[in-house]
Amino acid sequence: MTRTDSASVHTVPSTEDLTRLAATYLRSADLEQLDKAYQLAAQAHAGQLRKSGEPYITHPLSVATILAEWHLDQQALCAALLHDTVEDTGITTADIVSAFGKSVGELVEGVSKLDRLEFQTEQQAQAENFRKMLLAMARDVRVILIKLADRLHNMRTLEAMSPEKQRRIARETVDIYGPIAHRLGLHRLYQELQDLGFRYLFPNRYTVLNKAVRAARGNHREVVNKILAALEQRLVTFGIEGTIKGREKNLSSIYQKMQEKSLSFSEVQDIYGFRVVVHDLPNCYLALGAFHTLYKPIPGKFKDYIAIPKSNGYQSLHTTLFGPFGTPVEIQIRTQDMHKIAESGVASHWMYKSSATPLSDVQNKTHQWLQSLLEYQSESGDAVEFLEHIKVDLFPDAVYVFTPKGTIKSLPRGATAVDFAYDVHTDIGHHCVAARINDQLSPLRTVLSNGDRVEILTEATSTPNPAWLNYVVTAKARSKIRHYLRTLRHDEAEQLGDRLLQQALRALNTEPSLIQDSHWEQLLKGDRCKSRNDVLAEIGLGKRLNIVVARDLLRKTNPHETVTETPRTAITIRGSEGLAVQFAHCCRPIPGDPIIGLIKKGQGLLIHTQDCRVIRQFRADPDKWVDVSWESHTAQLFEVAIKLLALNRRGVLATVASAIADAHSNIDSVSIGKADGSYSEINFTVQVRDRAHLATLMQNLREIPEVVRLTRVQS
Ligand code: MN
């Protein structure tokens, strides 16, 4: 039973080994796919070597073989063979999808994603969050199983690494991957990972303890055999069929027990463990009764994990007896089914029951398993707590993201950058203007994903925007924003409300000046607010939506015409929440131009085109830049400078002006530049809605025969 010896030995499996193993439960069509995956992986890794000097392909092959031992399906095995190809070779996820289908592609992508995460294990308290993050990112349990098999093989071959790397990988295994294996009920894997981790973390203690266990083994075995015979005899006497095996403890659990309970080696070693497997559930309790007539049970040591399973699905009866020489005898009693789950947990639910089982069924197994556990559990009480545990473990409602310092924060699903900002600190929330997510500047409304690295950009003069209330999901952010808005002085709230209402009206293609007092009077009829200023204050305080009030007002101006639906928010620039927006004069961006925002101290956000030459020199300092984009509907007009070269003919200027008017554009200013013989340069500033509008205008100008050159002037 002990894994301590096999752990130090490892053999490289051959493709034949894998095929032979897989053939015991896979169909021949699946085996063909498996061979195809092997060929591709071998080709991709050709020439690459592991640290140990072995060809690299031995690693994915070993990982796939471990998974075949767990009887995982064809897709998981193919993904295991290909799991390092996307990161380390020229193969892309798209290649894998076209050759092996979407599922295999997703599994490989999932494993690669986990590989890219790095965990600083100095922060012990973060380990639990990191484990949850891994589980949340995996989505498919098979991704975690591939990752665990990958880690197991790396641990088995850790000898080739430098001592420093050995310690780092061993620590990560003990802190992160071992506990995940335990949580998923992969008991054997858990023990092997912990033992290997112990060996590389504490090489000296491992050696001493290993020697002690070997030395005590002979004597130990004699006692075990005596007790075993007595237990077997008792089953026969009671007419119960079952098998009993002595359990030898693995080194890491002996070490852990010595540490936790301050016991000496011999005290821990002198506890004898046995596992009894019987046919059905009633026989578990019968066997328990039988053993209790043989040796007296130690009070307080009996645990019924059949009625109340552990959170990873583990079921057994546990009891400890006073043994023949006054030594404690630990007994676990379970059925064959429970035993399977105890040994391989979640993986056992991915096994093929028969080769006729369709794949889709296999994919649903984990769900079914959780469901069956849930049903079982509701019979025995505690259902809610149990479900919560499982849900958190496998299908978390949370997202886990990194702060710039590598601390992990958990936020509810759907949380945005604003939620994150308030979670870090109220002041950060109050002054946030944008976020840098995975080094990409992003708007505050961006919904966070697992594994994101989030940094918040703040601006001292910026204040919370009531519009944030539309998309924050955490109670903390919501209450802090509301609290801030409540503390606004009444006149400040009115001003803010007025500004927001004007934005909303413009978004509905209405000039705010068109709204008259009579419309307000109509609106206030039957409203809880007594005055226009009260309504504005409520908008400013986030108690009313600006767009709703704007629509109501428009209905008063024209009760028969329905207001056309327009975008939710009225700002021209997405990502500018809470900031005053100005457009740079150098490049004069218009809707449709790719743009970028520059945060200017005390001036809000200055919008440039992405290719603006003036800003090129500042681009190196990414702190100042905000990723912004145009709202789809803007009522505003934008100024554009145009330079044209035309033949000096009478009436040319008038022709040009009328072409501009034909394009429904206004001329802001015009100047005649230097004349060169028969040509003159004319500079216009005109107003356009967007790039499409400008294109129409330019087209009109080009059709004038006298115009020989035409350019939009930027910087
Ligand atoms: Mn690997």
Side-chain angles (χ1 to χ4, degrees), residues 59 83-84 150:
H59 168 64
H83 81 270
D84 279 331
D150 175 53

Side-chain angles (χ1 to χ4, degrees), residues 400-698:
Y400 299 90
V401 296
F402 292 103
T403 68
K405 283 185 181 148
T407 308
I408 299 168
K409 284 202 171 291
S410 88
L411 293 163
R413 231 170 233 293
T416 60
V418 175
D419 290 297
F420 177 89
Y422 277 101
D423 197 76
V424 174
H425 196 279
T426 304
D427 280 342
I428 307 275
H430 279 353
H431 299 298
C432 64
V433 290
R436 188 127 31 90
I437 300 173
N438 305 326
D439 297 325
Q440 277 293 108
L441 284 160
S442 312
L444 289 172
R445 76 181 69 191
T446 310
V447 173
L448 304 177
S449 307
N450 274 303
D452 278 349
R453 194 170 291 274
V454 188
E455 191 183 332
I456 296 296
L457 306 183
T458 58
E459 173 66 38
T461 54
S462 179
T463 58
N465 184 333
W468 294 350
L469 291 170
N470 296 330
Y471 53 77
V472 294
V473 301
T474 54
K476 181 174 180 187
R478 189 167 295 280
S479 78
K480 294 289 180 190
I481 296 167
R482 282 202 190 287
H483 178 80
Y484 170 82
L485 294 174
R486 271 201 302 275
T487 60
L488 279 183
R489 290 202 321 270
H490 199 71
D491 57 331
E492 288 172 333
E494 282 169 21
Q495 281 166 21
L496 179 58
D498 194 28
R499 229 168 47 230
L500 292 168
L501 181 63
Q502 289 192 27
Q503 284 180 354
L505 284 167
R506 287 206 184 91
L508 295 169
N509 299 317
T510 304
E511 254 310 299
S513 59
L514 290 176
I515 304 296
Q516 291 157 15
D517 288 349
S518 61
H519 303 138
W520 275 104
E521 276 163 30
Q522 291 223 28
L523 180 96
L524 288 167
K525 245 181 243 168
D527 195 275
R528 65 171 183 278
C529 287
K530 291 216 167 53
S531 72
R532 167 187 179 153
N533 282 349
D534 287 349
V535 175
L536 294 178
E538 284 204 347
I539 296 173
L541 294 172
K543 288 179 184 166
R544 282 184 187 219
L545 274 181
N546 54 352
I547 201 80
V548 174
V549 176
R551 262 199 211 118
D552 283 350
L553 279 170
L554 286 181
R555 243 175 249 128
K556 308 300 178 200
T557 61
N558 194 347
H560 303 297
E561 212 173 279
T562 45
V563 176
T564 44
E565 283 302 313
T566 45
R568 281 170 297 128
T569 46
I571 47 173
T572 322
I573 298 291
R574 270 183 217 275
S576 68
E577 289 92 341
L579 279 183
V581 172
Q582 294 174 46
F583 296 94
H585 285 292
C586 44
C587 50
R588 297 184 195 259
I590 61 173
D593 287 337
I595 46 171
I596 187 162
L598 172 65
I599 296 171
K600 282 239 162 174
K601 271 227 143 48
Q603 291 178 40
L605 200 59
L606 196 57
I607 308 296
H608 288 267
T609 61
Q610 282 186 7
D611 55 3
C612 177
R613 266 185 239 157
V614 174
I615 58 168
R616 209 166 276 173
Q617 52 181 315
F618 308 120
R619 290 294 291 262
D621 179 9
D623 273 347
K624 299 269 181 256
W625 297 101
V626 184
D627 210 12
V628 289
S629 59
W630 297 96
E631 280 291 349
S632 45
H633 292 76
T634 49
Q636 222 175 314
L637 291 172
F638 296 83
E639 284 182 4
V640 172
I642 292 170
K643 181 163 80 181
L644 60 80
L645 198 64
L647 271 174
N648 278 330
R649 278 200 194 138
R650 193 145 36 108
V652 136
L653 193 60
T655 317
V656 166
S658 95
I660 292 174
D662 283 350
H664 302 285
S665 175
N666 302 318
I667 302 175
D668 262 0
S669 66
V670 61
S671 65
I672 309 289
K674 52 183 189 285
D676 169 24
S678 48
Y679 294 98
S680 327
E681 190 185 275
I682 311 174
N683 292 295
F684 288 100
T685 311
V686 296
Q687 292 183 333
V688 294
R689 286 188 306 277
D690 52 24
R691 268 171 91 104
H693 190 190
L694 178 63
T696 314
L697 181 102
M698 303 277 265

